[in-house]
Amino acid sequence: MNYPYIEEFRHSLVEWFHQEKRDLPWRRTSDPYKIWVSEVMLQQTRVDTVIPYYNRFLDKYPTLQSLAYAPQEELLKMWEGLGYYSRARNLQAGVKEVVEKYDAIVPDTRHDISKLKGIGPYTAGAILSIAYNKPEHAVDGNVMRVLSRVLHITEDIAVPKTKKVFEEAVDALIDEDYPGDFNQALMDLGAMICTPTSPKCLLCPVRDYCTAFQEGDADQLPIKSKKTKTKKVKFDVFVAIDKEGKYLVEKRKEEGLLANMWQFPMIELNENANSIESFQHNYNVIILEKADDKDLNFKHIFSHLTWELNCIFVQVEQQSTLPNDALFLAMDSIQALPMPVPMLKIMNVLN
DNA sequence: GACTCGTGGCC
DNA sequence: TGGCCAAGAGT
């Protein structure tokens, strides 16, 4: 885009934003911490999903200090159902570093803020531009979609290197008087007008500057290569209750999928193994009775794999010590633990 | 650079 | 219904 159209583009975009921007909770504050929380929650997550989590989270942790030293189990419970749970752990680590190393002031340079856990190129630019009014790019999926159309960029946005093209484009286009509004305007435009399918070009404030609109191929952009299919993994899930009416639960490993979340014991189904024997052996219990009348069998689809879960409801007796991170707990105690959605589905059946 | 890491909504 | 997505970051 050439001068003077850049200036007209900026003005039209920011003016539209001032008129049409959505009233969102994190737009009612200038607290860098609260904007930080919102940006982390919004990573790969829809606005409508985030809103109630955001409100509850800041009610519980209104300041950097209140989050920095919160118990991790409580923190995960606040994040329960939101997904990508490492975000919560990284956010707390970053917040703790700000409290201890930066005297509880969120850094205002890309150099420093990018060192914090959980803050990558996008989140750094979002916080700097929105909270500190710094002219920094914040390129997310929305921005790549909008600018791929406006500037008719046809490189594959699934290739990481392509993001640099868009960052340089934002650097050239950004409104240095209103960088936060400019960045948010691109995102709101992507969410409300310049949508992935059926873009509302006739309502677009910058269609006069949009090459794809002129070419009539906005719905063909951006170019994005496909992903690979998800793998399937089968488990038997043992919902085991003892004589006191307590259920056997265990804490997952501290790294990887659903790290540190709680679950009913799961035995992966292999061709050469008996899951019932494995369960009794691994957890030092014997099955007294199996409830064949109950039946719960369902799939849970993650972004990169699918669980096929078959629940087995049993009464058990403990024979010796349980493995680490496994214990029998009463139902109301289990409900205070952070559990992933597939386990919450099982919990619902028990109530 | 390719994988990993959640969930709910949409068509 | 299955695939695709939605304000990415870590490894």
Side-chain angles (χ1 to χ4, degrees):
Chain A
M1 200 181 296
N2 295 320
Y3 181 87
Y5 297 109
I6 290 178
E7 203 162 331
E8 296 177 11
F9 170 81
R10 272 182 205 140
H11 184 263
S12 298
L13 181 66
V14 172
E15 196 62 27
W16 171 83
F17 180 70
H18 289 159
Q19 295 290 328
E20 304 292 339
K21 64 180 174 182
R22 292 170 291 178
D23 180 20
L24 302 171
W26 44 89
R27 288 181 175 167
R28 292 171 172 261
T29 180
S30 58
D31 183 346
Y33 161 66
K34 295 180 179 177
I35 291 167
W36 180 3
V37 170
S38 76
E39 291 300 340
V40 171
M41 287 188 169
L42 286 163
Q43 291 167 8
Q44 298 291 285
T45 311
R46 289 185 150 75
V47 167
D48 290 343
T49 302
V50 166
I51 289 173
Y53 281 91
Y54 174 84
N55 288 328
R56 284 196 298 269
F57 195 91
L58 284 178
D59 192 44
K60 185 88 170 179
Y61 308 121
T63 63
L64 288 159
Q65 291 84 353
S66 61
L67 174 56
Y69 304 104
Q72 198 185 86
E73 200 136 280
E74 176 189 279
L75 171 65
L76 280 176
K77 190 69 182 176
M78 296 300 293
W79 210 271
E80 181 183 78
L82 195 54
Y84 286 143
Y85 299 99
S86 65
R87 291 184 295 176
R89 184 181 38 181
N90 289 336
L91 173 61
Q92 186 180 39
V95 163
K96 188 177 176 186
E97 183 170 353
V98 169
V99 168
E100 296 179 351
K101 183 175 174 183
Y102 293 98
D103 198 23
I105 306 295
V106 178
D108 66 348
T109 65
R110 187 176 283 274
H111 174 81
D112 285 344
I113 203 171
S114 296
K115 291 179 180 174
L116 300 172
K117 289 234 173 61
I119 298 187
Y122 163 76
T123 304
I127 296 171
L128 292 173
S129 64
I130 297 170
Y132 289 121
N133 231 31
K134 301 262 186 174
E136 298 280 349
H137 58 252
V139 174
D140 69 343
N142 282 311
V143 173
M144 288 198 284
R145 181 173 61 256
V146 170
L147 292 184
S148 74
R149 291 168 177 170
V150 172
L151 303 175
H152 213 270
I153 295 169
T154 57
E155 293 168 68
D156 184 357
I157 66 167
V159 177
K161 197 173 73 175
T162 303
K163 191 163 70 172
K164 185 163 183 274
V165 176
F166 291 93
E167 289 171 344
E168 290 175 354
V170 172
D171 287 342
L173 296 173
I174 193 166
D175 188 331
E176 306 221 350
D177 294 324
Y178 306 98
D181 287 350
F182 180 88
N183 283 336
Q184 293 181 91
L186 285 178
M187 290 187 274
D188 265 26
L189 192 68
M192 301 162 68
I193 304 288
C194 197
T195 47
T197 60
S198 308
K200 303 169 181 62
C201 295
L202 295 181
L203 300 178
C204 181
V206 296
R207 66 181 181 191
D208 290 350
Y209 315 98
C210 181
T211 303
F213 177 68
Q214 293 170 9
E215 301 287 332
D217 62 351
D219 58 344
Q220 306 298 316
L221 294 170
I223 305 296
K224 187 175 187 180
S225 57
K226 295 177 183 175
K227 296 178 182 176
T228 56
K229 292 181 181 177
T230 62
K231 296 178 181 177
K232 293 180 182 177
V233 194
K234 293 186 178 183
F235 293 93
D236 277 343
V237 182
F238 287 85
V239 184
I241 188 167
D242 70 3
K243 290 178 180 175
E244 301 175 7
K246 295 179 176 178
Y247 290 90
L248 181 57
V249 291
E250 65 180 357
K251 190 179 184 180
R252 292 177 62 85
K253 294 181 293 186
E254 27 184 300
E255 292 186 349
L257 182 66
L258 304 171
N260 292 324
M261 303 289 279
W262 289 76
Q263 65 183 12
F264 297 109
M266 297 169 54
I267 307 288
E268 183 173 353
L269 267 52
N270 301 317
E271 283 75 2
N272 55 354
N274 181 315
S275 70
I276 291 181
E277 287 181 3
S278 297
F279 170 64
Q280 295 188 116
H281 177 259
N282 293 350
Y283 294 90
N284 293 319
V285 296
I286 58 167
I287 294 177
L288 301 174
E289 187 176 342
K290 189 161 171 286
D292 289 322
D293 57 317
K294 297 186 181 180
D295 183 44
L296 182 56
N297 207 319
F298 64 95
K299 289 183 182 178
H300 185 78
I301 303 169
F302 297 95
S303 44
H304 60 297
L305 62 92
T306 297
W307 278 0
E308 295 185 1
L309 302 182
N310 175 47
C311 298
I312 300 177
F313 299 85
V314 292
Q315 290 185 30
V316 299
E317 187 167 56
Q318 188 177 337
Q319 295 300 288
S320 58
T321 58
L322 289 166
N324 288 339
D325 298 323
L327 71 166
F328 284 95
L329 282 179
M331 181 58 68
D332 57 346
S333 298
I334 295 174
Q335 286 172 340
L337 297 174
M339 302 185 93
V341 165
M343 294 299 145
L344 295 175
K345 289 180 181 172
I346 297 173
M347 291 285 286
N348 282 336
V349 172
L350 298 178
N351 293 336

